[in-house]
């Protein structure tokens, strides 16, 4: 995990969407650019050790009414921490890049 991957993923982060249990909005992660190197080191450590801190995987779930006419149908929405979103976004991008490079993805 390098700083460039973190910066690239941070650019995709929405500024003011609901924050997770950490209470951090994407705006702050984007604008505190001095932290990007440290974030990169910490996420790299998580991958190398193979352990993610419990606070990163905790989320706040609320039920959103899916159809106004049917009260029994709800859709769960979970707000996760920004660090978890960064980590999974970078992993997802790496997987996608690998699949494209090896031409494993179907053309659809």
């Amino acid at each position: 995990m390098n700083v460039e991957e973190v910066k690239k993923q941070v650019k995709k982060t929405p500024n003011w969407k609901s924050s997770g249990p950490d209470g951090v909005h994407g705006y702050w992660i984007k604008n505190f650019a001095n932290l990007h190197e440290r974030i990169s080191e910490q996420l790299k450590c998580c991958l190398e050790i193979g352990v993610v801190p419990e606070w990163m995987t905790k989320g706040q779930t609320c039920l959103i009414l899916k159809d106004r006419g049917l009260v029994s149908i709800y859709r769960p929405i979970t707000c996760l921490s920004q660090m978890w979103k960064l980590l999974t976004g970078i992993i997802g991008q790496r997987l996608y890049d690998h699949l494209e490079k090896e031409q494993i993805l179907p053309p659809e």
Side-chain angles (χ1 to χ4, degrees):
M1 180 121 1
N2 60 43
V3 179
E4 293 309 313
E5 286 177 306
V6 170
K7 287 182 180 183
K8 186 177 177 182
Q9 191 63 37
V10 163
K11 284 182 182 178
K12 298 177 185 178
T13 305
N15 286 333
W16 298 110
K17 274 199 167 179
S18 295
S19 62
D22 59 1
V24 178
H25 290 280
Y27 174 85
W28 301 113
I29 301 288
K30 283 181 183 178
N31 290 295
F32 287 139
N34 293 339
L35 293 177
H36 292 170
E37 187 173 342
R38 181 67 177 177
I39 290 170
S40 170
E41 292 170 9
Q42 295 301 312
L43 294 179
K44 182 178 179 180
C45 184
C46 288
L47 289 178
E48 288 174 352
I49 295 173
V51 176
V52 177
E54 191 175 317
W55 65 266
M56 280 178 65
T57 60
K58 295 245 180 204
Q60 294 173 338
T61 303
C62 60
L63 296 174
I64 305 293
L65 190 59
K66 193 173 180 181
D67 184 1
R68 300 261 182 231
L70 301 171
V71 179
S72 63
I73 299 177
Y74 288 91
R75 178 173 49 125
I77 300 292
T78 302
C79 298
L80 298 166
S81 72
Q82 288 294 327
M83 291 302 113
W84 180 253
K85 291 176 189 178
L86 279 176
L87 180 63
T88 56
I90 291 169
I91 292 170
Q93 188 61 51
R94 283 184 177 185
L95 285 170
Y96 185 80
D97 292 345
H98 172 74
L99 294 173
E100 260 194 344
K101 180 183 167 194
E102 300 298 324
Q103 298 179 346
I104 300 173
L105 287 173
E108 299 85 33

